[in-house]
Amino acid sequence: MGKIAVTDGMAPEAVETLQKAGYEVTLGFIEQHDLLSGGLSEYDAIIVRSATKLGKEVIEANPNLKIIGRAGVGVDNIDLETAGKNGIMVVNAPNASTQSVVELTIGHLLSSMRHVAKADRGIRAGKWEKKRLKGTELSGKCLGLIGFGRIAQGVAKVAQSLGMEIHTYDPYLPAKVAKSQGAYLHKEIDSLFETCTHISIHCNLTKETHHLVNEKRMSLMPGRKGGINCGNHIVNCARGGIIDEDALLAALKSGVIRSAALDVFEIEPIEENNELVQHENFHGTPHIGAATKEAQQRVGLDIAEAVILGLSGEKPPTLVNKEFF
Ligand code: MLT
């Protein structure tokens, strides 16, 4: 009936769904040079996560593809324009991992405030650094969310329950949405930084958002709230490249930023001798926002369903490229 390549892994239930629909599924990573030399020419569809890069040249080398499934949210590893020009649909699974990313973001915020990672590093080295590890509460602080989509709104809800005040900057957001969630919508991103001691990133990586968090903006952050010198804190579970990592390291060194917690990096996997991740006020995770059993099961099933719909000539609800609307 048709062949589907799944290159970055997928939940077994989702593979089964594709097979039950009559498709032959090939599981396994395909190297860039093989993709570039037409390695997908026998396939009707490819399903990827973030490791497989489907740039212009790769797509042009495989024009037989009918649909690209992105098992996740971000489509920055796929050249949407080239896919559209070649009549290839791109679908994603935008809702399935929301709760998992919300929970990791809150986990990073809490870990930063209470030095959980730093304390663990000390305790493993036999140190009992009780005095050095005095933290601050999240309660009463201003959390600035860059982007206010599903994940940011989920983070806002939990943070509000911890007593945080929610601020956001999202140029695409109708003011009434922010209002309905009890968030203050800033018209200018700089004013978000001037107000908030805690910033969490929840936007896509685009030309406009590349290095949106930079030296100048971090230096605007107030570092205190309500008489408490809590310092400034940054969390990113969205996409690498939105923060200028060199500027972040400099801000950690100078104390402008007191803690940084990243799940995503400009270059993934990170390169050896990455000075940022060695900084004592840094802690990180290797792009695991959506890596829960629940999210991966939902992501897999959502993307399998969308790919089956697309291959049967219907328009999947999570179609991303505008040429098909
Ligand atoms: C996503 O965009 O869905 C997440 O970052 C997870 C991933 O890339 O695998």
Side-chain angles (χ1 to χ4, degrees), residues 72-305:
V73 187
V75 285
D76 45 291
N77 53 327
I78 302 164
D79 188 325
L80 296 180
E81 204 185 313
T82 308
K85 275 189 195 150
N86 285 276
I88 303 169
M89 287 188 235
V90 179
V91 289
N92 69 349
N95 305 313
S97 55
T98 302
Q99 183 62 21
S100 296
V101 182
V102 167
E103 291 181 13
L104 185 69
T105 303
I106 295 292
H108 274 313
L109 271 170
L110 288 167
S111 299
S112 295
M113 292 309 94
R114 303 308 301 273
H115 309 296
V116 175
K118 199 193 290 180
D120 179 67
R121 292 194 291 259
I123 215 156
R124 279 166 197 257
K127 296 181 193 160
W128 195 257
E129 304 176 295
K130 223 173 148 149
K131 283 199 185 116
R132 199 171 79 94
L133 296 172
K134 187 184 278 172
T136 51
E137 294 178 347
L138 287 173
S139 179
K141 311 300 183 299
C142 293
L143 175 61
L145 301 169
I146 301 179
F148 204 63
R150 283 174 294 267
I151 295 172
Q153 290 179 32
V155 169
K157 213 167 156 190
V158 183
Q160 279 161 336
S161 76
L162 293 169
M164 297 195 89
E165 203 178 282
I166 306 301
H167 294 253
T168 184
Y169 169 76
D170 185 333
Y172 306 103
L173 187 80
K176 63 173 190 235
V177 176
K179 200 171 169 205
S180 71
Q181 307 286 314
Y184 181 88
L185 180 62
H186 291 253
K187 289 204 177 78
E188 302 294 334
I189 189 161
D190 286 0
S191 107
L192 184 85
F193 279 84
E194 278 160 3
T195 311
C196 298
T197 45
H198 297 61
I199 293 281
S200 183
I201 299 170
H202 299 284
C203 58
N204 296 328
L205 175 65
T206 62
K207 276 185 202 135
E208 289 72 39
T209 63
H210 181 254
H211 288 188
L212 190 74
V213 179
N214 54 30
E215 184 193 353
K216 184 196 134 219
R217 298 213 165 101
M218 287 186 275
S219 72
L220 299 173
M221 294 173 75
R224 51 172 60 243
K225 179 83 202 299
I228 299 285
N229 175 355
C230 58
N232 297 317
H233 307 271
I234 305 246
V235 172
N236 187 8
C237 293
R239 270 294 174 275
I242 299 170
I243 300 183
D244 176 344
E245 290 177 12
D246 291 338
L248 180 61
L249 176 61
L252 282 171
K253 283 182 177 171
S254 69
V256 164
I257 295 296
R258 194 167 292 171
S259 83
L262 305 188
D263 182 53
V264 287
F265 298 83
E266 198 147 5
I267 297 173
E268 293 181 5
I270 54 165
E271 291 172 322
E272 262 179 60
N273 306 320
N274 180 322
E275 210 190 325
L276 173 63
V277 307
Q278 301 301 333
H279 194 279
E280 66 156 355
N281 293 337
F282 173 92
H283 74 265
T285 43
H287 202 147
I288 56 167
T292 62
K293 290 184 179 169
E294 294 88 343
Q296 282 314 305
Q297 197 178 66
R298 288 190 295 258
V299 164
L301 291 173
D302 285 3
I303 208 67
E305 204 178 297

Side-chain angles (χ1 to χ4, degrees), residues 1-136:
M1 196 176 172
K3 286 182 84 175
I4 302 176
V6 176
T7 56
D8 300 329
M10 192 159 81
E13 300 84 343
V15 175
E16 223 174 90
T17 302
L18 293 172
Q19 288 166 335
K20 276 191 186 147
Y23 292 100
E24 187 185 326
V25 180
T26 311
L27 290 164
F29 189 70
I30 306 179
E31 297 289 347
Q32 271 291 303
H33 57 83
D34 291 328
L35 293 173
L36 284 167
S37 54
L40 297 168
S41 56
E42 289 172 21
Y43 291 91
D44 302 283
I46 178 169
I47 298 179
V48 303
R49 288 178 63 187
S50 51
T52 300
K53 311 288 177 217
L54 300 176
K56 187 172 187 293
E57 290 80 10
V58 168
I59 294 175
E60 282 174 350
N62 297 282
N64 291 353
L65 283 173
K66 297 187 182 75
I67 184 162
I68 295 170
R70 166 65 170 97
V73 187
V75 285
D76 45 291
N77 53 327
I78 302 164
D79 188 325
L80 296 180
E81 204 185 313
T82 308
K85 275 189 195 150
N86 285 276
I88 303 169
M89 287 188 235
V90 179
V91 289
N92 69 349
N95 305 313
S97 55
T98 302
Q99 183 62 21
S100 296
V101 182
V102 167
E103 291 181 13
L104 185 69
T105 303
I106 295 292
H108 274 313
L109 271 170
L110 288 167
S111 299
S112 295
M113 292 309 94
R114 303 308 301 273
H115 309 296
V116 175
K118 199 193 290 180
D120 179 67
R121 292 194 291 259
I123 215 156
R124 279 166 197 257
K127 296 181 193 160
W128 195 257
E129 304 176 295
K130 223 173 148 149
K131 283 199 185 116
R132 199 171 79 94
L133 296 172
K134 187 184 278 172
T136 51

